[in-house]
Amino acid sequence: MIKSNILALDASTEALSIVLHFQGQTFHHFEECPQQHSQKILPLVDELLTKANCKLKDLDVIGFGQGPGSFTGVRISVAIAQGLAYSTNLPLVGVSTLAIMAQQAFEQNGSLSVFPSIDARMGEIYFAHYQAKNNLVQLVNQECVIKPDLLSDDYITSTEPSIAVGTGFKTYPGALNNFENVTINSEITLPDARYMLAHVEAAFLSGNIVKASDAQPKYVRDTVTWKKLPGRE
């Protein structure tokens, strides 16, 4: 049960998602709109605040998807969250986009072991392993960027029944052919801010927050060596 008043947003991938939890009610928007995030995000935030009869200053904390994802999208997520926080002096909590999808798999399906992925272009995926504990998914080892055909027992370390989610495995479903304990859930492909709420509240209540000036993206791939493809960020 979420008790804090939270605005959370993510623009790190093709999806744009925003959630507002205020006085026990949840207002939510999710859509796939590549390259339209910067035009749509603030009007949608205003729309949700209006629906909730809420002002930014009434909130406790703002959450943002900190990546990995498209470099442009990650920067939009961080910059918009910073701007909103600067205007209200609210604290910020960044949540990994891979953790968001893993949390969705746990909340929707009860999956305790989840391998989320995002198509990183250039024949690579952003990849991680999360396990659920105390109603929150927690990172096992570290997030990485890897070529799908290099996934091995060093990365798929869990032998329990596990779920794989995200655009990485939508693009490269054969990457998991050697792992009989891992099943691809094709319904969860992109991060949805609704599944940030539990992480944002837990971080807020434990004091694991940052000021607007200290908000940081998580690119995972630190060096930009790719060329922009037509129609893609």
Side-chain angles (χ1 to χ4, degrees):
M1 178 72 70
I2 304 297
K3 296 182 179 179
S4 304
N5 296 317
I6 300 169
L7 173 70
L9 57 90
D10 179 60
S12 299
T13 65
E14 299 95 317
L16 173 61
S17 59
I18 307 165
V19 64
L20 173 64
H21 187 82
F22 182 66
Q23 295 183 344
Q25 290 187 293
T26 301
F27 304 85
H28 174 244
H29 179 89
F30 177 93
E31 68 174 307
E32 293 185 38
C33 53
Q35 300 183 326
Q36 299 178 52
H37 298 28
S38 58
Q39 301 100 304
K40 289 191 169 190
I41 189 166
L42 284 176
L44 285 168
V45 168
D46 286 339
E47 182 180 312
L48 293 190
L49 289 169
T50 299
K51 285 181 178 179
N53 193 24
C54 167
K55 298 185 182 301
L56 273 176
K57 64 180 178 62
D58 298 328
L59 301 175
D60 298 314
V61 61
I62 297 173
F64 65 95
Q66 64 181 158
S70 85
F71 290 93
T72 300
V74 172
R75 288 195 296 269
I76 290 171
S77 288
V78 177
I80 293 295
Q82 284 179 311
L84 295 173
Y86 273 126
S87 69
T88 54
N89 203 32
L90 286 171
L92 291 174
V93 171
V95 180
S96 162
T97 48
L98 295 173
I100 297 169
M101 291 190 294
Q103 186 71 26
Q104 181 175 355
F106 168 68
E107 290 187 19
Q108 284 188 341
N109 306 312
S111 305
L112 300 180
S113 175
V114 187
F115 294 97
S117 68
I118 294 174
D119 189 347
R121 317 304 186 198
M122 298 194 304
E124 295 178 322
I125 60 172
Y126 299 116
F127 171 85
H129 181 202
Y130 279 85
Q131 286 187 315
K133 184 178 181 180
N134 298 326
N135 294 320
L136 282 180
V137 295
Q138 300 179 12
L139 181 63
V140 179
N141 297 324
Q142 62 184 5
E143 299 182 343
C144 66
V145 60
I146 186 174
K147 292 187 179 299
D149 58 0
L150 295 181
L151 287 176
S152 65
D153 292 338
D154 292 332
Y155 295 92
I156 311 291
T157 54
S158 175
T159 57
E160 65 182 304
S162 303
I163 295 295
V165 298
T167 55
F169 296 127
K170 181 179 179 181
T171 305
Y172 304 102
L176 298 174
N177 284 349
N178 295 329
F179 303 97
E180 294 182 357
N181 64 308
V182 183
T183 302
I184 294 176
N185 180 331
S186 58
E187 295 182 1
I188 301 174
T189 57
L190 295 166
D192 183 343
R194 178 191 293 270
Y195 300 96
M196 296 171 64
L197 288 174
H199 284 270
V200 174
E201 178 166 75
F204 172 66
L205 294 178
S206 65
N208 189 18
I209 54 179
V210 297
K211 298 182 297 185
S213 57
D214 296 327
Q216 294 291 327
K218 181 188 287 186
Y219 291 122
V220 177
R221 176 190 284 146
D222 293 324
T223 305
V224 183
T225 57
W226 51 276
K227 293 183 179 180
K228 188 178 291 187
L229 299 177
R232 292 184 176 174
E233 297 180 70

